[in-house]
Amino acid sequence: MSDHHVYKKVEIIGSSKKSIEDAIENALEECGKSVRNMEWFEVTETRGHIVDGKVGHYQVVMKVGFRIADS
């Protein structure tokens, strides 16, 4: 184990008909299926789709930070 860590960030977009929080959870769950060592996220954009004057779904653009293996 080294005494330093190296990280990388990827941008992902999550969506949900339920809530912004659910959109975040959905995005992290799916991202976690292919990205290991996830350590943080930051929401950079929040938006939604309008259907008949109401929220059709919420969408969040996120950056997810993960540690490079063995760093």
Side-chain angles (χ1 to χ4, degrees):
M1 182 77 174
S2 66
D3 59 356
H4 68 280
H5 299 293
V6 177
Y7 299 90
K8 182 172 177 87
K9 290 195 289 188
V10 295
E11 185 173 77
I12 62 173
I13 301 167
S15 64
S16 169
K17 291 183 177 183
K18 186 176 171 184
S19 68
I20 291 169
E21 290 82 4
D22 197 47
I24 292 169
E25 294 288 340
N26 291 341
L28 291 175
E29 183 178 344
E30 287 300 315
C31 188
K33 293 177 180 178
S34 59
V35 176
R36 294 179 295 131
N37 304 320
M38 295 189 310
E39 296 204 4
W40 77 87
F41 71 91
E42 54 187 283
V43 175
T44 57
E45 293 180 47
T46 306
R47 58 181 172 242
H49 181 238
I50 301 169
V51 177
D52 297 326
K54 296 181 181 179
V55 176
H57 71 271
Y58 301 90
Q59 191 176 63
V60 293
V61 178
M62 306 166 48
K63 292 185 180 180
V64 176
F66 62 95
R67 185 176 38 81
I68 301 296
D70 300 325
S71 73

